[in-house]
């Protein structure tokens, strides 16, 4: 025996990983989305903002966190990850759309938060697809 994983052991570990990803409250990507949303939501407390910037970050941060919680509770809901990526894109473009690019700290919160949200949503897609496929199969 060489110590290398066999095809069967790799299949078993992949199956175990899918089982973990189909359970509610277990996906790290969705927990990351919640954390990003909360940080964006609270960021107007520590960075200089205008009224438009403040409300944009509060609303989008809350929506990102809420969608992350919904995705955690219902891991087979694929469209939640698409919603997350759209919210991340909206957060990313919000400094230009809402006119607060002159406030560098608020802009950076939006840009970094937006990119991380899109990345977390994209990374969660394979797990959401696996959970959806597992939920669709008869038991």
């Amino acid at each position: 025996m060489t110590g290398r994983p066999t095809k069967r052991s790799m299949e078993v570990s992949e199956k175990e990983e899918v089982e973990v990803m189909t359970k509610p409250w277990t996906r790290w990507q969705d927990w990351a989305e919640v954390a990003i949303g909360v940080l964006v939501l609270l960021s107007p407390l520590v960075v200089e903002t205008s009224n438009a910037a403040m409300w944009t970050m509060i609303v989008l941060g809350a929506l990102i966190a809420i969608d992350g919680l919904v995705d955690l509770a219902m891991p087979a809901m694929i469209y939640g990850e698409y919603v997350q990526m759209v919210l991340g894109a909206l957060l990313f473009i919000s400094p230009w759309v809402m006119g607060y690019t002159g406030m560098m700290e608020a802009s950076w919160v939006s840009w970094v938060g937006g990119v991380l949200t899109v990345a977390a949503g994209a990374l969660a897609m394979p797990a959401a697809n696996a959970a959806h496929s597992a939920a669709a199969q008869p038991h």
Side-chain angles (χ1 to χ4, degrees), residues 43-58:
S43 66
L45 296 173
V46 293
V47 300
E48 181 184 345
T49 62
S50 64
N51 198 37
M54 177 185 71
W55 284 109
T56 299
M57 291 192 289
I58 288 172

Side-chain angles (χ1 to χ4, degrees), residues 9-48:
S9 68
M10 289 187 341
E11 288 173 0
V12 170
S13 68
E14 287 175 14
K15 184 178 179 183
E16 290 170 354
E17 184 177 336
V18 168
E19 287 176 9
V20 168
M21 292 298 187
T22 61
K23 292 180 183 175
W25 309 102
T26 58
R27 283 205 304 250
W28 67 266
Q29 300 94 329
D30 296 329
W31 282 111
E33 294 165 357
V34 172
I36 294 164
V38 169
L39 290 172
V40 170
L41 168 73
L42 296 176
S43 66
L45 296 173
V46 293
V47 300
E48 181 184 345

